[in-house]
Amino acid sequence: MEKRELLYEGKAKRLFLTDDENLVISEFKDDLTAFNGEKKSSEVGKGALNNKISTELFKLLEANGIQTHFVKMLDDNHMLHTKVDVILIEVIVRNIATGSLTRNLGIEDGKILPFTLVEFDYKNDDLGDPKLNDQHCLILELVEHQDELDKLRRMARQVNDILRPYFLEKGLNLVDFKLEFGKDSNGNIILVDEISPDNCRFWDVESGEKMDKDRFRQGLGGLTVAYEQVLNRILGK
Ligand code: 5GP
């Protein structure tokens, strides 16, 4: 597969065209950003860890019936995947209250939610990714029909139902995560982006230690060591 011109550069990945119009290549960068790009850094090896973790999790989800954009990992920092039209909705799934949920609503940090909460954020850096309800999504024409919003919620819950027990068995609480979706050339809604400690929160079941990007957001240090531990637990090492 030939890597051709740069199509788009995001905060954590670069997207390249290929010689197949239906396939693109993501390059996972070592760059780290938080608070809508206000805090920036870089950690050698972070991109490769996220590529490897995402690869394992996309394979797991595909094996459990979730359609994703994943095709294959090409090398440490590159993933081949389906080209989609990205839906500009960040689907946030929460099992335990923390982060913006506790900040915005005053819910106690660490409270186990009585049921899994699914929220929509507008994928729009200029506006600071504000919360959306279904009517906002339809008015903004982020999707065509209510059915598609229902499908995003359904798929997000399915992903949670697969990943939450999977990580619990590996001694990690899946606290919350952000998913992105896109439409492939047939109009099917599929899971895209990455699934990694950059967009999931993992807390060690025994110690409560944070094993995700909050180590960077909160200045705790030890980010790549934590990401490597997440990968090793996935690989059963
Ligand atoms: P919160 O809304 O508490 O900041 O984030 C909830 C979850 O979604 C966390 O796991 C967080 O990593 C993820 N998340 C929310 N927004 C973004 C975003 O814009 N980028 C990334 N990488 N993750 C996000």
Side-chain angles (χ1 to χ4, degrees):
M1 185 59 53
E2 198 184 311
K3 183 173 164 185
R4 294 212 173 145
E5 64 266 32
L6 181 71
L7 185 62
Y8 172 79
E9 176 150 11
K11 285 178 279 199
K13 292 188 289 297
R14 288 189 194 94
L15 192 65
F16 294 89
L17 293 173
T18 68
D19 45 356
D20 182 330
E21 62 177 5
N22 290 314
L23 296 176
V24 285
I25 292 172
S26 273
E27 179 193 338
F28 285 69
K29 302 195 290 185
D30 287 340
D31 295 352
L32 277 158
T33 64
F35 312 119
N36 202 12
E38 275 172 40
K39 184 172 179 178
K40 287 189 186 143
S41 188
S42 183
E43 287 269 352
V44 175
K46 194 253 338 180
L49 286 164
N50 281 352
N51 190 20
K52 290 173 190 169
I53 292 168
S54 295
T55 292
E56 294 303 321
L57 297 179
F58 279 135
K59 283 184 186 170
L60 173 76
L61 293 172
E62 286 276 356
N64 283 278
I66 304 287
Q67 273 191 293
T68 80
H69 73 161
F70 177 77
V71 177
K72 65 175 173 177
M73 190 173 120
L74 296 172
D75 60 32
D76 272 9
N77 285 81
H78 293 93
M79 180 188 286
L80 180 68
H81 56 85
T82 314
K83 188 164 185 281
V84 298
D85 286 329
V86 174
I87 297 171
L88 296 178
I89 299 173
E90 297 183 345
V91 183
I92 312 288
V93 181
R94 298 180 189 270
N95 296 308
I96 300 176
T98 195
S100 70
L101 186 67
T102 59
R103 274 200 311 279
N104 293 338
L105 299 182
I107 300 173
E108 185 196 344
D109 194 90
K111 181 185 162 70
I112 297 171
L113 298 174
F115 51 86
T116 299
L117 175 63
V118 180
E119 304 174 300
F120 293 153
D121 288 359
Y122 191 8
K123 186 174 159 60
N124 184 322
D125 285 342
D126 292 341
L127 296 175
D129 295 354
K131 288 272 163 246
L132 295 168
N133 65 27
D134 288 20
Q135 296 165 79
H136 295 137
C137 295
L138 294 169
I139 287 168
L140 287 165
E141 298 182 2
L142 303 179
V143 290
E144 286 171 42
H145 305 289
Q146 177 67 40
D147 286 0
E148 294 178 334
L149 296 175
D150 299 340
K151 177 154 193 193
L152 296 183
R153 281 203 186 85
R154 203 163 52 242
M155 285 181 77
R157 285 186 188 281
Q158 284 168 348
V159 169
N160 189 52
D161 288 345
I162 297 162
L163 295 186
R164 194 181 184 187
Y166 173 83
F167 278 108
L168 197 55
E169 208 172 273
K170 294 169 186 300
L172 291 173
N173 264 317
L174 178 60
V175 174
D176 58 26
F177 54 97
K178 182 234 345 169
L179 299 176
E180 295 190 21
F181 294 86
K183 281 188 186 172
D184 67 13
S185 56
N186 299 317
N188 290 325
I189 293 181
I190 63 174
L191 183 64
V192 304
D193 193 41
E194 64 181 277
I195 309 178
S196 73
D198 265 12
N199 54 17
C200 303
R201 286 193 175 102
F202 299 110
W203 291 354
D204 183 82
V205 170
E206 297 286 318
S207 66
E209 199 184 345
K210 297 175 199 284
M211 313 276 286
D212 54 65
K213 196 170 144 185
D214 273 352
R215 300 206 71 82
F216 169 66
R217 294 188 188 101
Q218 299 175 8
L220 301 173
L223 180 120
T224 48
V225 174
Y227 282 31
E228 198 153 10
Q229 270 215 35
V230 171
L231 177 62
N232 285 341
R233 291 196 199 189
I234 289 171
L235 297 175
K237 284 190 192 162

